[in-house]
Amino acid sequence: MIVLDVKDLYEKSHIGKEVMLEGWIRNHRKQKEFGFIDFNDGTYFKSVQIVYAKDLENFSEITKFRVGSAVRITGEVIKSLGKNQDFEIKLKTIILEGDCPEDYPIQPKRHSREFLREVGYLRPRTNLFNATFRVRSLVAMAIHTYFQERGYVYLHSPIITGSDAEGAGDMFKVTTLDLEKVPKTKDNVVDYSKDFFHKEASLTVSGQLQGEAFALAYKRVYTFGPTFRAENSNTKTHASEFWMIEPEVAFCDLDRLMDIEEDVLKYIIHYVLKHAKVEIEFFDKFVEPGLIDKLKSVLDKTAVRISHKEAIDILLNSKLKFENIPDYYEDLAKEHEKYLTEEYFKSPVFITDWPKDIKAFYMRSNEDGETVAAVDLLVPGAGELMGGSQREERLDKLLQRMKEMNVSAEELDWYVNLRKYGGCKHSGFGIGFERLLIYITGVENIRDVIPFPRTPGNCEF
Amino acid sequence: MIVLDVKDLYEKSHIGKEVMLEGWIRNHRKQKEFGFIDFNDGTYFKSVQIVYAKDLENFSEITKFRVGSAVRITGEVIKSLGKNQDFEIKLKTIILEGDCPEDYPIQPKRHSREFLREVGYLRPRTNLFNATFRVRSLVAMAIHTYFQERGYVYLHSPIITGSDAEGAGDMFKVTTLDLEKVPKTKDNVVDYSKDFFHKEASLTVSGQLQGEAFALAYKRVYTFGPTFRAENSNTKTHASEFWMIEPEVAFCDLDRLMDIEEDVLKYIIHYVLKHAKVEIEFFDKFVEPGLIDKLKSVLDKTAVRISHKEAIDILLNSKLKFENIPDYYEDLAKEHEKYLTEEYFKSPVFITDWPKDIKAFYMRSNEDGETVAAVDLLVPGAGELMGGSQREERLDKLLQRMKEMNVSAEELDWYVNLRKYGGCKHSGFGIGFERLLIYITGVENIRDVIPFPRTPGNCEF
């Protein structure tokens, strides 16, 4: 008798062997003379069928085992006569380890995603979420493997920050003050000297600035950690807590940065197609028909590289009536991204050299004085997947831009100093991990690719 | 001409080749006829020596390049005549990419760790911190590789939590309320319905409870993420923000859990000795003499397994005068751990079956009614490195323990439900990532193994 996982059964043939498995009953069909259990232990997307017959002495007791129950079984792996599987297990013994009541929420039928969010702690037991969160785990590993194999140092950038100048979006406050009785100074403002860090603190919105400090020591670094936005927006693509990957590379310009971005994306797609084959097939069949073709087409193509100005030219020349009129000084709208990636180029597209006023203070000014060396990577079916820039390494230009954009150079003196102490050309980009997962799985709501999502008014489990 | 990293030069011989490198000047010694630059680009712990002679036309200009400056160099790799290295680079051209002033804080001399914390954004440019944070990155990768290769699913457990019942320690509050003017209800208490999540929210102290939910879907899972303690303690081993790894395994009892813990530890040590050889040699030489022997001795031994009661027996029988008198109902003190691991067993020691009143509500009650199926792994030189337990899977016993320990079963209904819906025997443990790093590097202050540490009153960079 060998103790196995379901995964082992699919990896190589065990026909003729006696095996022991522990897991859960996903489905249970009983007939007069036979019973069939869909058995899943979570180690593999697919279940294994267990058949038992009336010759078992506790036959009638077994027929009462309910869906959701935890069981330990022994039996022989045999060739299956059914056409849905190559093998099945002929049951010898079964022990009920944990019962499950009639009203168990996860029944073998279709549940709405809204309902499954309400029982979020149980939803990884369904096919959809089991596949989604396993792919989430594998994509995380793909990312670590990619960067580590290429000598990048993994940086845990800080989660709690004393700076509110990181750039993007509203921040959550972090405090140990008693909110029932907030201490005040004699000028009647909050006395943060009594708070835990003796000053205001927040949850990070980005690890980039710290990433730059480390890139100027290690040449190549990446962060991979949670980031936060206290935005009160309830859309399919916004969460208050999400994970980001932020690679940063010294002596790297914008062209080289695009090479890296494209290489990372292709690597991840390769990795997922290889390591999550059954899950991706499931998504392709039930979630986003055409998903596999979409992913494979990225592998075959070289991404187009055009400037923001060229993009606007193309949009204006298309003579299409967009809801948002393309503008040389504005961001691209979803419909613009869609046209460029899905209709005009039918390929991933890098858009470079954005108007400076819609981009962050740390992006490098171009010679024209109007644009910055920023780049967004747009992909068919998902729009913006990565955003990066060459950083402003020239001290005077950085200070000027900070002043213009009202970012305190005093508060970020250490960041400014990176330009004084052996500064150099450097670039970096960010990948929104969940946006990447939405793209790879076809699961379109960010709440469904995060194990326990946090959104306005929602902080369950 | 080939473009290389310093790491490439150490990986295989490039003698006779013309190379281009970009990096920083770590040290610069000038003589009348020659100059010597210690050049480091961060891709490898060791620097490479660059020699130049008066025959270069800009010789006198080069001699003025200061420590800390970023440069791009070309030159020929030649056999070194010096005895400190096998090769060096004979300089052909050098371009100054980023200057560095005279008063640059990181000079080629010994700096105190306290001073280096003040310039934390620059300290990865020193040998000690360069080695430390590279090892941090490698240990993280070792952990991911170990668990992923064994089919564990990586779970991003939530950072913001609405529950204050996770168990360990004081929590930071997370809020978007205006602290200058906290909204109150008509009963004059804080009106959390106006807060971002419409209720109180905090930073997580552990992902274990969510890990259990996922283990009952995937069998084997692990978390690896930041956790927080709002404790006002300023010691060498306390930080307010630190990373934890929390594996959780279904159908696993305490014995099997100890097998896993020991296997993980040995794997990580193997990995580090292989992938961070020069860094570990540096630590062994300059930080903790005997470090390599300490680590290797763990590989050779099987950890001892004794109960808490047996440990107390041994301590009492030792006839030693401990400052803290060993007690069958109390935790072990540092001196007790030291005696057991360093003197009595000279080996890692698992201590099992702890008195229930000093352990958490979710640990499985033993038959004796006095102890729980908890286990701490103690190692020579560092004390407790991992802590775990078999979880209470019996609904009635869990509820009873929650009541006794004043943990709201209502607030954690989903966690309680895991015992109703196909619950099963399961176990898990936690590794404090920084404690592990302290053990592996010999760097003894937690502030020095975290890139940007957060402690009471300190939230810089």
Side-chain angles (χ1 to χ4, degrees):
Chain A
M1 169 114 63
I2 41 174
V3 181
L4 289 184
D5 293 332
V6 168
K7 186 168 198 253
D8 302 320
L9 294 173
Y10 281 95
E11 275 181 350
K12 71 170 210 199
S13 170
H14 287 78
I15 300 229
K17 300 236 173 85
E18 194 140 313
V19 298
M20 197 269 263
L21 296 162
E22 292 175 298
W24 294 272
I25 298 176
R26 278 279 184 92
N27 200 354
H28 194 172
R29 287 158 292 130
K30 307 126 202 177
Q31 297 172 358
K32 251 194 186 154
E33 308 282 326
F34 294 99
F36 301 91
I37 290 171
D38 287 345
F39 174 93
N40 190 294
D41 67 358
T43 61
Y44 197 62
F45 178 71
K46 293 184 184 172
S47 300
V48 57
Q49 175 160 282
I50 292 171
V51 292
Y52 60 96
K54 215 164 178 172
D55 57 347
L56 288 185
E57 65 177 312
N58 54 345
F59 178 83
S60 80
E61 188 196 325
I62 299 172
T63 58
K64 297 191 189 90
F65 287 2
R66 278 184 294 257
V67 165
S69 300
V71 291
R72 188 198 313 160
I73 69 112
T74 64
E76 190 192 339
V77 184
I78 56 170
K79 275 202 174 163
S80 175
L81 299 176
K83 55 181 177 175
N84 292 322
Q85 61 273 326
D86 297 333
F87 62 88
E88 58 195 24
I89 294 176
K90 187 164 181 298
L91 188 68
K92 203 168 161 190
T93 67
I94 182 166
I95 291 167
L96 186 66
E97 298 216 2
D99 196 8
C100 197
E102 206 77 63
D103 64 352
Y104 176 51
I106 309 291
Q107 293 297 323
K109 60 163 194 169
R110 204 179 152 74
H111 298 285
S112 78
R113 295 193 194 170
E114 290 73 20
F115 168 74
L116 289 171
R117 276 175 218 144
E118 283 167 34
V119 290
Y121 70 109
L122 297 175
R123 67 181 180 165
R125 302 177 183 195
T126 66
N127 278 335
L128 176 66
F129 289 98
N130 197 271
T132 302
F133 298 131
R134 195 193 311 280
V135 168
R136 185 178 169 109
S137 169
L138 291 168
V139 174
M141 189 59 186
I143 289 165
H144 281 299
T145 307
Y146 178 89
F147 288 111
Q148 296 257 346
E149 280 182 352
R150 285 151 189 81
Y152 286 68
V153 168
Y154 177 30
L155 160 67
H156 286 144
S157 50
I159 311 300
I160 302 175
T161 174
S163 160
D164 61 0
E166 288 173 351
D170 298 329
M171 297 174 90
F172 287 102
K173 286 168 222 161
V174 174
T175 182
T176 54
L177 293 177
D178 180 359
L179 299 197
E180 299 293 350
K181 214 184 153 184
V182 175
K184 299 280 174 87
T185 65
K186 61 180 186 326
D187 298 330
N188 203 31
V189 294
V190 179
D191 185 0
Y192 284 106
S193 76
K194 299 221 163 55
D195 206 349
F196 192 88
F197 296 110
H198 305 174
K199 64 176 182 179
E200 287 190 68
S202 317
L203 289 179
T204 184
V205 296
S206 162
Q208 179 202 312
L209 305 191
Q210 293 89 0
E212 288 185 48
F214 265 57
L216 297 189
Y218 289 105
K219 197 173 207 173
R220 298 183 196 91
V221 303
Y222 70 107
T223 71
F224 190 168
T227 49
F228 305 85
R229 296 283 184 286
E231 270 164 50
N232 204 350
S233 41
N234 265 303
T235 79
K236 286 199 294 188
T237 54
H238 284 84
S240 311
E241 174 181 315
F242 56 98
W243 286 62
M244 274 179 75
I245 301 100
E246 297 185 280
E248 191 76 30
V249 183
F251 305 105
C252 175
D253 63 16
L254 202 66
D255 275 322
R256 174 83 188 100
L257 191 75
M258 289 187 270
D259 295 342
I260 298 170
E261 290 186 38
E262 190 165 351
D263 199 40
V264 173
L265 179 61
K266 288 180 176 177
Y267 182 90
I268 293 169
I269 291 174
H270 260 303
Y271 191 98
V272 166
L273 291 175
K274 182 175 169 190
H275 293 275
K277 197 165 174 292
V278 284
E279 286 82 1
I280 297 294
E281 282 166 1
F282 168 81
F283 292 129
D284 187 73
K285 197 163 174 191
F286 294 107
V287 178
E288 182 184 324
L291 177 74
I292 295 176
D293 285 345
K294 178 186 86 176
L295 296 176
K296 284 194 171 158
S297 83
V298 172
L299 298 180
D300 301 336
K301 285 191 178 130
T302 301
V304 175
R305 298 178 182 194
I306 57 170
S307 70
H308 179 267
K309 180 180 175 305
E310 287 167 323
I312 301 295
D313 284 342
I314 290 168
L315 292 166
L316 291 174
N317 288 335
S318 74
K319 305 278 191 300
L320 287 173
K321 280 213 155 47
F322 291 108
E323 260 185 63
N324 307 274
I325 300 168
D327 184 324
Y328 292 104
Y329 294 94
E330 295 292 339
D331 206 349
L332 296 179
K334 280 264 165 253
E335 53 179 339
H336 305 149
E337 297 179 353
K338 213 173 155 63
Y339 176 74
L340 292 167
T341 56
E342 295 174 25
E343 298 196 37
Y344 193 84
F345 289 114
K346 296 188 171 59
S347 141
V349 183
F350 286 109
I351 314 272
T352 63
D353 304 307
W354 290 71
K356 66 178 181 180
D357 290 335
I358 62 168
K359 290 288 181 182
F361 72 91
Y362 47 73
M363 299 190 174
R364 193 176 195 276
S365 298
N366 286 329
E367 293 306 306
D368 60 18
E370 298 270 313
T371 60
V372 289
V375 60
D376 281 4
L377 171 61
L378 312 180
V379 292
E384 189 197 334
L385 205 59
M386 306 182 189
S389 76
Q390 190 166 334
R391 317 309 188 187
E392 184 57 83
E393 86 280 14
R394 295 161 297 186
L395 180 61
D396 54 340
K397 305 234 177 210
L398 179 68
L399 289 174
Q400 182 190 330
R401 208 65 198 121
M402 291 176 89
K403 202 171 173 183
E404 285 166 11
M405 298 181 81
N406 255 323
V407 178
S408 164
E410 208 172 321
E411 206 189 310
L412 285 180
D413 60 344
W414 64 272
Y415 180 76
V416 171
N417 282 346
L418 293 173
R419 277 72 188 162
K420 286 185 198 162
Y421 297 148
C424 67
K425 177 174 69 186
H426 63 288
S427 302
F429 64 102
I431 310 175
F433 186 54
E434 282 78 11
R435 189 168 289 199
L436 177 65
L437 290 173
I438 288 171
Y439 177 64
I440 286 176
T441 62
V443 172
E444 77 270 13
N445 194 313
I446 197 168
R447 291 165 181 78
D448 296 332
V449 299
I450 300 181
F452 299 94
R454 274 77 179 95
T455 53
N458 175 42
C459 189
E460 300 308 309
F461 312 112
Chain B
M1 168 113 64
I2 40 175
V3 180
L4 289 183
D5 292 333
V6 169
K7 186 168 198 257
D8 302 321
L9 295 173
Y10 282 94
E11 274 180 352
K12 70 170 212 201
S13 170
H14 287 79
I15 299 224
K17 300 234 173 84
E18 194 140 314
V19 299
M20 196 270 263
L21 294 163
E22 293 175 299
W24 294 272
I25 297 175
R26 277 281 185 91
N27 201 352
H28 194 173
R29 286 158 292 128
K30 308 128 202 174
Q31 295 173 1
K32 251 194 186 151
E33 309 282 325
F34 295 98
F36 302 91
I37 290 171
D38 286 344
F39 174 92
N40 189 295
D41 67 359
T43 61
Y44 195 63
F45 178 72
K46 292 184 184 172
S47 300
V48 56
Q49 175 161 283
I50 293 171
V51 292
Y52 61 95
K54 214 163 179 174
D55 57 348
L56 288 185
E57 64 177 311
N58 55 345
F59 177 83
S60 80
E61 187 196 326
I62 299 172
T63 59
K64 296 189 190 92
F65 287 2
R66 279 184 293 257
V67 165
S69 300
V71 291
R72 187 197 314 159
I73 68 112
T74 64
E76 189 192 339
V77 185
I78 55 171
K79 276 201 175 166
S80 176
L81 299 177
K83 55 182 176 175
N84 292 321
Q85 62 273 326
D86 297 333
F87 62 88
E88 59 195 22
I89 293 177
K90 187 165 182 301
L91 187 69
K92 203 168 161 188
T93 67
I94 182 166
I95 292 168
L96 186 67
E97 298 217 1
D99 195 8
C100 197
E102 205 78 63
D103 63 353
Y104 176 50
I106 309 292
Q107 292 297 324
K109 60 163 195 168
R110 202 178 153 74
H111 298 285
S112 78
R113 295 193 195 171
E114 291 73 21
F115 168 74
L116 289 172
R117 276 176 218 144
E118 284 168 33
V119 290
Y121 69 109
L122 298 174
R123 66 181 180 166
R125 303 176 183 196
T126 65
N127 279 335
L128 176 66
F129 289 98
N130 197 272
T132 301
F133 298 131
R134 195 193 312 281
V135 168
R136 185 177 170 110
S137 170
L138 291 169
V139 174
M141 189 59 186
I143 289 165
H144 281 298
T145 307
Y146 178 89
F147 287 112
Q148 296 257 346
E149 280 182 353
R150 284 151 189 82
Y152 287 66
V153 168
Y154 176 29
L155 161 67
H156 286 143
S157 51
I159 311 300
I160 302 175
T161 174
S163 161
D164 61 1
E166 288 174 350
D170 298 329
M171 297 173 90
F172 288 101
K173 286 168 224 162
V174 174
T175 182
T176 55
L177 293 178
D178 181 358
L179 298 197
E180 298 293 351
K181 213 183 153 184
V182 175
K184 298 282 175 86
T185 66
K186 62 181 188 326
D187 298 332
N188 204 32
V189 294
V190 179
D191 186 0
Y192 284 106
S193 76
K194 298 220 164 56
D195 206 349
F196 191 88
F197 296 110
H198 306 174
K199 64 176 183 180
E200 287 191 65
S202 318
L203 288 179
T204 185
V205 296
S206 161
Q208 180 203 312
L209 305 191
Q210 292 90 0
E212 288 186 49
F214 265 58
L216 297 189
Y218 290 105
K219 198 174 206 172
R220 298 185 196 90
V221 303
Y222 70 108
T223 71
F224 190 167
T227 50
F228 305 85
R229 296 283 185 287
E231 270 163 50
N232 204 350
S233 42
N234 265 303
T235 79
K236 285 200 294 188
T237 54
H238 285 83
S240 311
E241 174 181 314
F242 55 98
W243 287 60
M244 275 180 74
I245 300 101
E246 298 186 278
E248 191 76 30
V249 183
F251 305 104
C252 174
D253 63 16
L254 202 67
D255 275 323
R256 174 84 188 99
L257 190 76
M258 288 187 271
D259 295 343
I260 298 170
E261 290 187 38
E262 191 165 351
D263 199 40
V264 173
L265 180 61
K266 288 180 175 176
Y267 182 90
I268 292 169
I269 291 174
H270 261 302
Y271 191 99
V272 166
L273 291 175
K274 182 176 168 189
H275 294 274
K277 196 165 174 291
V278 284
E279 286 83 0
I280 297 293
E281 282 166 1
F282 168 81
F283 292 129
D284 187 73
K285 197 164 173 190
F286 295 107
V287 179
E288 181 184 325
L291 177 74
I292 294 176
D293 285 344
K294 178 187 85 176
L295 295 175
K296 284 194 172 158
S297 84
V298 171
L299 298 180
D300 300 335
K301 284 193 179 129
T302 301
V304 175
R305 299 179 182 194
I306 57 169
S307 70
H308 180 267
K309 181 181 174 306
E310 288 167 322
I312 301 294
D313 284 342
I314 290 167
L315 292 166
L316 291 175
N317 288 334
S318 75
K319 303 282 190 308
L320 287 173
K321 281 212 156 48
F322 292 109
E323 259 185 65
N324 307 273
I325 300 167
D327 184 324
Y328 292 104
Y329 295 94
E330 295 292 339
D331 205 350
L332 297 178
K334 280 264 164 253
E335 53 179 338
H336 305 150
E337 297 179 350
K338 212 173 156 64
Y339 175 74
L340 291 168
T341 56
E342 295 174 25
E343 297 198 35
Y344 193 84
F345 289 113
K346 296 187 170 60
S347 139
V349 183
F350 286 109
I351 314 272
T352 63
D353 304 305
W354 290 71
K356 65 178 181 180
D357 291 334
I358 62 169
K359 290 289 180 181
F361 73 91
Y362 49 71
M363 299 189 175
R364 193 177 196 275
S365 298
N366 286 330
E367 292 307 306
D368 61 17
E370 299 270 314
T371 59
V372 289
V375 60
D376 281 4
L377 171 60
L378 312 179
V379 291
E384 189 198 333
L385 205 58
M386 305 183 189
S389 75
Q390 190 167 333
R391 316 308 187 187
E392 185 56 83
E393 85 280 14
R394 295 160 298 185
L395 180 61
D396 54 339
K397 304 234 178 212
L398 178 67
L399 289 173
Q400 182 191 329
R401 208 65 198 121
M402 290 175 90
K403 202 169 171 184
E404 285 166 11
M405 298 180 81
N406 255 323
V407 178
S408 165
E410 208 172 321
E411 207 190 309
L412 285 180
D413 59 343
W414 64 272
Y415 180 76
V416 171
N417 282 347
L418 292 173
R419 278 72 188 164
K420 286 186 198 160
Y421 298 148
C424 67
K425 178 173 69 187
H426 63 288
S427 302
F429 64 102
I431 310 174
F433 186 54
E434 282 78 11
R435 190 168 289 199
L436 177 65
L437 289 173
I438 288 171
Y439 177 65
I440 286 176
T441 62
V443 173
E444 77 270 13
N445 195 314
I446 197 168
R447 290 166 182 77
D448 296 332
V449 298
I450 300 182
F452 298 94
R454 274 75 180 96
T455 53
N458 175 42
C459 190
E460 299 308 310
F461 312 112

